[in-house]
């Protein structure tokens, strides 16, 4: 049987495109946010609290149009309904506004997240956090960086060096369905006394980037979508965090943990007691 010839990927090119698309999507959303005053109206999706705005849709439409123009053979999946089949083996994950509730309330923790995989392996990803003027990005095997400020100063980022779980700052989130929220809250009750404190920032992509740069020691969440986690999980992993499911198996959106290296196993063991 012939060995499959490994595909040589243009990792730098894919990362650069993910960064420019995340930036452009974020700029579209930020312009809309700044033009509005106070809370913003949205259309409900899976529940009365799961909303989508015209800016989610405009940003996704822009990103999808650019990918189809520049890479017409690639597949695309997007939060607001995009499902484009491809033949190249590359697949783009588009979350035009992750943290939509924060966006609607003019809270700062929202992001535009763009990831690209080949054959199911994440290759590059970018998460733009426009209110903070921050752009996180990574590509496979080349580490993760943060561009900060309007001058876009870039630096390598690394996950936390914390080794004591009782001193860990832990991020998490809650779904939109009441029964899932109850399950998530009950799990939180069991672990909150074993860690320093908990933060619910409201965007999985931001949470994962916070782990990547050490502003969170651990992040975990149930029931995410692929587009929520695609870019951020790669960025956290490339920054040295350990990512997995709740049992230490391969990371997946349904059960996602991203943790400082020394805290991963203790946190997985703690989750097992909840
Ligand atoms: C959000 C996630 C977040 C989760 C929220 C929501 P959205 O995605 O990023 O982690 O806790 O409930 O699902 O809906 O803002 O794109």
């Amino acid at each position: 049987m012939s060995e499959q010839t490994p595909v040589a990927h243009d990792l730098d090119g894919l990362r650069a495109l993910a960064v420019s698309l995340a930036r452009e999507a974020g700029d579209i959303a930020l312009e809309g946010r700044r033009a509005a005053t106070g809370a913003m109206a949205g259309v409900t999706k899976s529940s009365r609290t799961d909303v989508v705005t015209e800016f989610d849709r405009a940003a996704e439409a822009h990103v999808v149009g650019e990918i189809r123009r520049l890479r017409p053979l690639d597949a695309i999946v997007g939060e607001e309904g995009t499902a484009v089949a491809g033949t190249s083996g590359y697949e783009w994950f588009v979350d035009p506004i992750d943290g939509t509730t924060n966006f609607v309330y003019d809270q700062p923790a929202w992001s535009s997240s763009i990831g690209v995989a080949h054959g199911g392996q994440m290759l590059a990803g970018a998460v733009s956090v426009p209110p903070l003027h921050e752009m996180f990005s990574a590509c496979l095997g080349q580490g993760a960086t943060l561009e900060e400020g309007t001058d876009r100063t870039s630096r390598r980022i690394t996950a936390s060096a914390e080794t004591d779980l009782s001193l860990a700052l832990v991020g998490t989130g809650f779904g939109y369905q009441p029964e899932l929220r109850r399950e998530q809250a009950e799990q939180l009750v069991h672990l909150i006394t074993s860690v320093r404190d908990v933060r619910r920032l409201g965007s999985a992509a931001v949470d994962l980037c916070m782990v990547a740069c050490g502003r969170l020691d651990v992040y975990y969440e149930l029931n995410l979508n692929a587009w929520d986690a695609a870019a951020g999980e790669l960025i956290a992993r490339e920054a040295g965090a350990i990512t997995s499911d709740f049992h230490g198996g391969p990371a997946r959106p349904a059960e996602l943990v991203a943790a400082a290296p020394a805290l991963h196993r203790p946190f997985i063991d703690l989750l097992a007691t909840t």
Side-chain angles (χ1 to χ4, degrees):
M1 178 182 297
S2 64
E3 290 285 319
Q4 275 201 344
T5 308
V7 176
H9 304 292
D10 175 12
L11 294 175
D12 290 337
L14 291 171
R15 180 180 191 167
L17 181 53
V19 166
S20 61
L21 292 173
R23 194 183 311 283
E24 291 162 13
D27 288 349
I28 290 168
L30 187 63
E31 185 179 345
R33 182 58 265 179
R34 284 182 171 155
T37 52
M40 187 184 282
V43 176
T44 57
K45 295 192 299 186
S46 66
S47 76
R48 291 180 58 238
T49 56
D50 182 6
V51 298
V52 57
T53 73
E54 61 180 291
F55 306 106
D56 294 83
R57 292 185 170 139
E60 181 160 315
H62 171 77
V63 169
V64 171
E66 284 297 282
I67 295 171
R68 301 199 72 174
R69 178 175 69 87
L70 297 167
R71 298 180 60 92
L73 302 182
D74 292 5
I76 313 170
V77 60
E79 176 168 19
E80 305 317 337
T82 299
V84 174
T87 56
S88 66
Y90 292 93
E91 183 173 27
W92 293 82
F93 297 87
V94 180
D95 194 338
I97 301 176
D98 188 54
T100 303
T101 302
N102 285 340
F103 177 77
V104 164
Y105 276 81
D106 202 8
Q107 291 267 3
W110 57 268
S111 59
S112 296
S113 177
I114 308 290
V116 58
H118 185 275
Q121 181 179 45
M122 287 308 300
L123 296 180
V127 175
S128 173
V129 190
L132 303 182
H133 299 291
E134 293 187 334
M135 172 71 75
F136 297 83
S137 70
C139 59
L140 188 63
Q142 295 184 25
T145 60
L146 166 58
E147 283 183 23
E148 296 171 289
T150 51
D151 61 351
R152 299 180 185 173
T153 307
S154 181
R155 64 183 172 89
R156 288 291 291 264
I157 52 178
T158 56
S160 163
E162 184 56 65
T163 59
D164 184 344
L165 189 59
S166 67
L167 298 179
L169 188 61
V170 176
T172 193
F174 306 101
Y176 291 110
Q177 304 303 326
E179 276 318 301
L180 175 60
R181 294 171 70 78
R182 181 188 314 280
E183 178 188 346
Q184 291 167 320
E186 287 169 353
Q187 186 172 50
L188 184 58
V189 165
H190 287 289
L191 63 82
I192 196 165
T193 55
S194 301
V195 299
R196 174 194 293 270
D197 205 350
V198 173
R199 293 291 183 271
R200 197 280 196 259
L201 299 180
S203 162
V206 171
D207 286 313
L208 288 160
C209 290
M210 295 300 101
V211 171
C213 66
R215 296 177 194 165
L216 285 175
D217 298 304
V218 179
Y219 164 70
Y220 78 102
E221 188 160 353
L222 275 170
N223 208 45
L224 292 172
N225 292 297
W227 47 75
D228 294 319
E233 186 275 334
L234 176 68
I235 292 166
R237 181 159 36 96
E238 285 295 323
I242 297 178
T243 63
S244 74
D245 67 10
F246 283 15
H247 309 282
R252 50 197 176 91
E255 275 189 13
L256 184 58
V257 172
L263 299 179
H264 180 260
R265 175 43 59 186
F267 188 75
I268 295 294
D269 292 344
L270 175 62
L271 278 180
T273 67
T274 62

